[in-house]
């Protein structure tokens, strides 16, 4: 429902901007050059991504089903973990399906409107996920460093308010990107040197000086990504130092949870920092980093949490046993 409303609003914005820029924008579609020109490598990547996608994507929905069906998994940590699985599953639908189709297509063409829509949802869900990791770090800080106040601070109303805030934050982050790009004129060429539409490649095709726009994009995506990354590392360093100095029974569990979060932080923000915090120049590693950033890592993130969480694994086993009994 939320994505339908957002899609409608985005299409209205696109129509308004297209009417304004009809005299300047000639390009109506973009040609995607793809991940590689080698047919053998394309076939190999196609098979690997398809297998990976069909195995791990259902795992994310299993996480959501497990958390929603088990009354014992009502703590805020599991509430946010379920939302992480939902965000990552949604994020994986933006690039991977079209990428798989393009691998077996001679012409890889995406319309101007389709390109902008893909770019919007890529940053909308990606920005929301980044903010969700910040919220999860806050949740762990309160649980470990202020345990007596945890139930008061992280009550259901606060959890839903934080969830609404991260969705709104992702929307604002993405709509700024889209608004800046929609004001650029595109009069040729129309070849995107990638397998999907993203800010760096699209900006370079504008037939005007894009220096100011590039700076704004770096500030919006790059600086936000870097600050979130450094802030998260600092917060978990504080938590680990606090845990290290304690002798509580839950010390090992807290360390395990924080370690899991840190792994996901590196997977989530590492590629983003590489892509968005530097001037928009093409590097040989860009496509490989983008492949992991948009297709592989989003599917892995929730599974990393699950494999290191004994309660969720136990709940999955109970759910499985109930259905085969």
């Amino acid at each position: 429902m939320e994505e339908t409303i957002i899609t409608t609003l985005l299409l209205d914005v696109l129509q308004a901007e297209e009417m304004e820029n009809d005299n300047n924008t000639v390009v109506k579609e973009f040609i995607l050059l793809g991940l590689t020109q080698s047919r053998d490598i394309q076939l190999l990547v196609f098979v690997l991504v398809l297998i990976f996608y069909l195995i791990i994507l259902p795992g994310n929905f299993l996480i959501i089903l497990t958390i929603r069906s088990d009354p014992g998994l009502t703590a805020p940590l599991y509430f946010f973990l379920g939302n992480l699985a939902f965000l990552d599953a949604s994020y994986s639908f933006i690039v991977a399906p079209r990428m798989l189709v393009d691998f077996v297509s001679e012409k890889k063409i995406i319309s101007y409107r389709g390109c902008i829509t893909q770019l919007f949802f890529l940053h909308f869900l990606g920005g929301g996920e980044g903010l969700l990791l910040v919220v999860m770090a806050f949740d762990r800080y309160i649980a470990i460093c202020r345990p007596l106040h945890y139930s008061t601070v992280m009550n259901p109303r606060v959890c839903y308010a934080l969830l609404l805030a991260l969705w709104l934050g992702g929307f604002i982050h993405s709509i700024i990107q889209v608004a800046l790009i929609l004001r650029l004129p595109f009069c040729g060429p129309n070849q995107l040197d990638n397998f999907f539409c993203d800010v760096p490649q699209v900006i370079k095709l504008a037939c005007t000086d894009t220096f100011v726009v590039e700076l704004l994009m770096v500030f919006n995506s790059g600086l936000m990504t870097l600050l979130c990354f450094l802030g998260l590392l600092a917060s978990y360093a504080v938590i680990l130092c606090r845990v290290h100095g304690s002798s509580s029974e839950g010390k090992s569990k807290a360390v395990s949870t924080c370690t899991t979060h840190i792994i996901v932080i590196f997977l989530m923000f590492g590629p983003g920092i590489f892509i968005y915090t530097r001037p928009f120049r093409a590097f040989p590693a860009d496509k490989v980093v983008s492949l992991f950033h948009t297709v592989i890592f989003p599917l892995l993130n929730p599974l990393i949490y699950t494999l290191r969480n004994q309660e969720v694994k136990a709940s999955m086993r109970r759910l499985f046993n109930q259905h085969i009994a």
Side-chain angles (χ1 to χ4, degrees):
M1 183 66 180
E2 290 180 351
E3 290 192 3
T4 303
I5 296 173
I6 291 170
T7 302
T8 304
L9 292 172
L10 180 60
L11 290 177
D12 291 340
V13 173
L14 284 170
Q15 290 175 351
E17 290 290 344
E18 283 178 358
M19 292 177 61
E20 181 180 338
N21 292 330
D22 269 344
N23 296 329
N24 296 324
T25 299
V26 177
V27 173
K28 300 301 179 183
E29 62 184 22
F30 294 104
I31 299 173
L32 301 173
L33 297 183
L35 185 65
T36 176
Q37 298 303 309
S38 170
R39 296 297 298 179
D40 292 336
I41 297 178
Q42 284 188 30
L43 180 60
L44 175 62
V45 175
F46 172 82
V47 172
L48 291 176
V49 171
L50 181 61
I51 294 173
F52 194 86
Y53 196 69
L54 293 179
I55 292 175
I56 299 184
L57 184 60
N60 287 310
F61 290 111
L62 178 60
I63 294 171
I64 298 172
L65 176 63
T66 301
I67 292 174
R68 291 186 63 87
S69 61
D70 191 336
L73 300 178
T74 57
L77 172 64
Y78 305 113
F79 172 76
F80 294 127
L81 177 57
N83 280 278
L84 177 66
F86 173 77
L87 275 171
D88 276 329
S90 302
Y91 188 86
S92 67
F93 280 116
I94 300 172
V95 175
R98 184 182 181 90
M99 175 188 177
L100 292 172
V101 172
D102 285 344
F103 271 136
V104 295
S105 303
E106 287 296 327
K107 290 187 177 181
K108 305 171 179 61
I109 297 175
I110 185 170
S111 67
Y112 175 81
R113 179 178 292 187
C115 182
I116 298 300
T117 302
Q118 186 182 65
L119 188 151
F120 169 81
F121 280 105
L122 191 73
H123 285 270
F124 171 51
L125 296 175
E129 183 174 348
L131 294 175
L132 177 57
L133 294 178
V134 173
V135 170
M136 294 178 77
F138 174 73
D139 171 74
R140 289 301 85 199
Y141 173 81
I142 299 297
I144 295 171
C145 300
R146 299 287 187 272
L148 298 179
H149 301 88
Y150 183 71
S151 59
T152 303
V153 175
M154 299 302 295
N155 61 66
R157 289 186 62 183
V158 172
C159 291
Y160 281 106
L162 290 172
L163 185 65
L164 177 62
L166 69 89
W167 278 100
L168 181 61
F171 177 82
I172 293 173
H173 161 69
S174 186
I175 204 65
I176 291 174
Q177 309 263 83
V178 171
L180 290 172
I181 290 179
L182 286 175
R183 294 185 176 277
L184 295 175
F186 294 92
C187 47
N190 66 335
Q191 291 186 337
L192 283 171
D193 188 19
N194 214 327
F195 56 91
F196 70 106
C197 286
D198 200 9
V199 176
Q201 293 81 25
V202 174
I203 284 181
K204 286 301 183 183
L205 296 182
C207 47
T208 186
D209 181 24
T210 60
F211 178 74
V212 175
V213 177
E214 288 185 33
L215 287 181
L216 292 173
M217 291 292 182
V218 170
F219 179 80
N220 184 31
S221 290
L223 187 60
M224 172 186 170
T225 303
L226 182 61
L227 290 178
C228 285
F229 175 73
L230 295 176
L232 285 167
L233 288 185
S235 66
Y236 281 113
V238 172
I239 294 173
L240 289 173
C241 289
R242 180 69 175 266
V243 170
H244 183 72
S246 67
S247 57
S248 62
E249 294 180 0
K251 178 178 178 179
S252 60
K253 181 180 177 181
V255 171
S256 177
T257 301
C258 291
T259 303
T260 304
H261 287 209
I262 292 172
I263 291 172
V264 173
I265 288 169
F266 274 98
L267 293 180
M268 171 71 184
F269 289 99
I273 292 172
F274 178 80
I275 295 171
Y276 299 114
T277 58
R278 55 179 169 80
F280 292 159
R281 299 174 185 173
F283 285 92
D286 283 355
K287 291 183 182 181
V288 177
V289 173
S290 295
L291 175 65
F292 281 93
H293 185 50
T294 58
V295 179
I296 307 299
F297 289 156
L299 297 173
L300 276 178
N301 287 347
L303 294 186
I304 293 173
Y305 279 98
T306 305
L307 292 174
R308 295 179 63 90
N309 191 297
Q310 297 300 324
E311 288 83 357
V312 177
K313 286 194 293 185
S315 180
M316 283 184 174
R317 284 193 292 268
R318 288 194 299 270
L319 184 66
F320 178 76
N321 293 330
Q322 288 174 3
H323 281 79
I324 64 174

